[in-house]
Short mmCIF file of all heavy atoms in Angstrom, two decimals:
data_model
loop_
_atom_site.label_atom_id
_atom_site.label_comp_id
_atom_site.label_asym_id
_atom_site.label_seq_id
_atom_site.Cartn_x
_atom_site.Cartn_y
_atom_site.Cartn_z
N ALA V 328 53.49 121.82 85.41
CA ALA V 328 54.10 120.48 85.22
C ALA V 328 54.63 119.98 86.56
O ALA V 328 54.61 118.76 86.83
CB ALA V 328 55.22 120.53 84.19
N ILE V 329 55.15 120.90 87.38
CA ILE V 329 55.61 120.47 88.73
C ILE V 329 54.42 120.06 89.58
O ILE V 329 54.46 119.08 90.33
CB ILE V 329 56.39 121.62 89.43
CG1 ILE V 329 57.50 122.17 88.49
CG2 ILE V 329 56.96 121.16 90.74
CD1 ILE V 329 58.49 121.16 88.05
N GLU V 330 53.31 120.80 89.46
CA GLU V 330 52.08 120.40 90.18
C GLU V 330 51.62 119.00 89.70
O GLU V 330 51.10 118.21 90.50
CB GLU V 330 50.96 121.42 89.91
CG GLU V 330 51.28 122.78 90.52
CD GLU V 330 50.23 123.83 90.14
OE1 GLU V 330 49.24 123.47 89.47
OE2 GLU V 330 50.40 125.01 90.53
N TRP V 331 51.75 118.76 88.41
CA TRP V 331 51.40 117.42 87.87
C TRP V 331 52.24 116.33 88.51
O TRP V 331 51.71 115.25 88.84
CB TRP V 331 51.57 117.42 86.34
CG TRP V 331 51.46 116.07 85.72
CD1 TRP V 331 50.31 115.36 85.48
CD2 TRP V 331 52.54 115.25 85.25
NE1 TRP V 331 50.61 114.14 84.88
CE2 TRP V 331 52.02 114.07 84.73
CE3 TRP V 331 53.93 115.42 85.23
CZ2 TRP V 331 52.77 113.06 84.22
CZ3 TRP V 331 54.72 114.44 84.67
CH2 TRP V 331 54.14 113.23 84.18
N LEU V 332 53.51 116.59 88.71
CA LEU V 332 54.38 115.60 89.42
C LEU V 332 53.84 115.33 90.84
O LEU V 332 53.84 114.16 91.27
CB LEU V 332 55.81 116.12 89.52
CG LEU V 332 56.61 116.26 88.22
CD1 LEU V 332 57.96 116.92 88.50
CD2 LEU V 332 56.80 114.91 87.56
N GLU V 333 53.33 116.36 91.49
CA GLU V 333 52.70 116.14 92.80
C GLU V 333 51.42 115.33 92.70
O GLU V 333 51.18 114.40 93.45
CB GLU V 333 52.40 117.48 93.48
CG GLU V 333 53.61 118.32 93.84
CD GLU V 333 53.25 119.59 94.56
OE1 GLU V 333 52.57 119.54 95.60
OE2 GLU V 333 53.59 120.68 94.08
N ASP V 334 50.61 115.71 91.67
CA ASP V 334 49.34 114.97 91.47
C ASP V 334 49.58 113.49 91.19
O ASP V 334 48.79 112.62 91.59
CB ASP V 334 48.58 115.56 90.29
CG ASP V 334 48.11 116.98 90.56
OD1 ASP V 334 48.06 117.39 91.72
OD2 ASP V 334 47.82 117.70 89.55
N MET V 335 50.71 113.19 90.53
CA MET V 335 51.02 111.81 90.21
C MET V 335 51.79 111.12 91.30
O MET V 335 52.23 109.99 91.17
CB MET V 335 51.87 111.76 88.92
CG MET V 335 51.18 112.29 87.65
SD MET V 335 49.85 111.17 87.15
CE MET V 335 50.84 109.82 86.47
N THR V 336 51.96 111.85 92.45
CA THR V 336 52.68 111.36 93.64
C THR V 336 54.15 110.96 93.35
O THR V 336 54.72 110.12 94.02
CB THR V 336 51.98 110.21 94.35
OG1 THR V 336 51.93 109.06 93.50
CG2 THR V 336 50.52 110.61 94.73
N LEU V 337 54.71 111.62 92.29
CA LEU V 337 56.13 111.42 92.04
C LEU V 337 57.01 112.28 92.95
O LEU V 337 58.16 111.98 93.18
CB LEU V 337 56.45 111.75 90.57
CG LEU V 337 55.81 110.80 89.54
CD1 LEU V 337 56.05 111.30 88.12
CD2 LEU V 337 56.42 109.38 89.69
N ILE V 338 56.41 113.36 93.46
CA ILE V 338 57.05 114.20 94.48
C ILE V 338 55.98 114.57 95.50
O ILE V 338 54.79 114.55 95.20
CB ILE V 338 57.70 115.47 93.89
CG1 ILE V 338 56.64 116.32 93.18
CG2 ILE V 338 58.84 115.15 92.94
CD1 ILE V 338 57.14 117.71 92.69
N GLU V 339 56.46 114.94 96.70
CA GLU V 339 55.50 115.34 97.76
C GLU V 339 55.23 116.84 97.69
O GLU V 339 54.12 117.28 98.02
CB GLU V 339 56.04 114.95 99.12
CG GLU V 339 56.08 113.45 99.37
CD GLU V 339 56.50 113.11 100.80
OE1 GLU V 339 56.67 114.04 101.59
OE2 GLU V 339 56.64 111.93 101.08
N ASP V 340 56.24 117.61 97.30
CA ASP V 340 56.06 119.07 97.14
C ASP V 340 57.05 119.55 96.12
O ASP V 340 58.00 118.88 95.75
CB ASP V 340 56.20 119.78 98.47
CG ASP V 340 57.50 119.51 99.20
OD1 ASP V 340 58.57 119.74 98.53
OD2 ASP V 340 57.50 119.04 100.33
N ALA V 341 56.86 120.80 95.68
CA ALA V 341 57.69 121.36 94.63
C ALA V 341 59.17 121.42 95.00
O ALA V 341 60.04 121.20 94.16
CB ALA V 341 57.18 122.75 94.24
N ALA V 342 59.44 121.64 96.27
CA ALA V 342 60.84 121.77 96.71
C ALA V 342 61.60 120.48 96.50
O ALA V 342 62.82 120.51 96.29
CB ALA V 342 60.86 122.21 98.16
N GLU V 343 60.92 119.34 96.56
CA GLU V 343 61.58 118.06 96.43
C GLU V 343 62.12 117.85 95.03
O GLU V 343 63.05 117.03 94.81
CB GLU V 343 60.61 116.94 96.78
CG GLU V 343 61.24 115.57 96.87
CD GLU V 343 60.24 114.42 97.13
OE1 GLU V 343 59.01 114.72 97.14
OE2 GLU V 343 60.66 113.30 97.33
N SER V 344 61.56 118.55 94.05
CA SER V 344 61.96 118.31 92.65
C SER V 344 63.43 118.60 92.42
O SER V 344 64.14 117.92 91.64
CB SER V 344 61.11 119.15 91.69
OG SER V 344 61.33 120.53 91.92
N GLU V 345 63.98 119.62 93.09
CA GLU V 345 65.41 119.97 92.91
C GLU V 345 66.30 118.87 93.37
O GLU V 345 67.25 118.46 92.65
CB GLU V 345 65.74 121.30 93.60
CG GLU V 345 67.16 121.70 93.42
CD GLU V 345 67.50 123.11 93.91
OE1 GLU V 345 66.57 123.81 94.34
OE2 GLU V 345 68.71 123.45 93.87
N ALA V 346 66.10 118.35 94.57
CA ALA V 346 66.94 117.30 95.09
C ALA V 346 66.87 116.03 94.25
O ALA V 346 67.89 115.37 93.98
CB ALA V 346 66.53 116.98 96.55
N LEU V 347 65.67 115.66 93.80
CA LEU V 347 65.53 114.49 92.97
C LEU V 347 66.24 114.64 91.63
O LEU V 347 66.88 113.74 91.14
CB LEU V 347 64.05 114.16 92.77
CG LEU V 347 63.33 113.50 93.95
CD1 LEU V 347 61.83 113.46 93.69
CD2 LEU V 347 63.87 112.07 94.20
N ALA V 348 66.12 115.85 91.03
CA ALA V 348 66.77 116.08 89.75
C ALA V 348 68.28 116.00 89.88
O ALA V 348 68.97 115.49 88.98
CB ALA V 348 66.35 117.45 89.22
N ARG V 349 68.82 116.49 90.99
CA ARG V 349 70.27 116.45 91.20
C ARG V 349 70.79 115.08 91.51
O ARG V 349 71.98 114.79 91.38
CB ARG V 349 70.64 117.41 92.36
CG ARG V 349 70.47 118.91 92.05
CD ARG V 349 71.03 119.72 93.19
NE ARG V 349 70.80 121.14 93.04
CZ ARG V 349 71.56 121.96 92.34
NH1 ARG V 349 72.64 121.49 91.68
NH2 ARG V 349 71.29 123.24 92.25
N SER V 350 69.88 114.17 91.95
CA SER V 350 70.31 112.84 92.35
C SER V 350 70.70 111.92 91.19
O SER V 350 71.25 110.85 91.41
CB SER V 350 69.22 112.19 93.19
OG SER V 350 68.09 111.79 92.36
N VAL V 351 70.39 112.37 89.97
CA VAL V 351 70.81 111.60 88.79
C VAL V 351 71.63 112.53 87.88
O VAL V 351 71.42 113.73 87.87
CB VAL V 351 69.60 111.00 88.03
CG1 VAL V 351 68.97 109.87 88.83
CG2 VAL V 351 68.55 112.07 87.73
N ASP V 352 72.53 111.94 87.09
CA ASP V 352 73.40 112.74 86.23
C ASP V 352 72.69 113.23 84.96
O ASP V 352 73.12 114.21 84.34
CB ASP V 352 74.63 111.95 85.81
CG ASP V 352 75.54 111.63 87.00
OD1 ASP V 352 75.53 112.43 87.96
OD2 ASP V 352 76.23 110.60 86.98
#
Side-chain angles (χ1 to χ4, degrees):
I329 309 302
E330 294 174 4
W331 169 76
L332 292 174
E333 294 183 57
D334 294 342
M335 295 291 286
T336 66
L337 293 173
I338 59 174
E339 292 186 4
D340 55 56
E343 188 184 6
S344 64
E345 179 170 356
L347 283 171
R349 290 186 185 277
S350 71
V351 289
D352 293 333

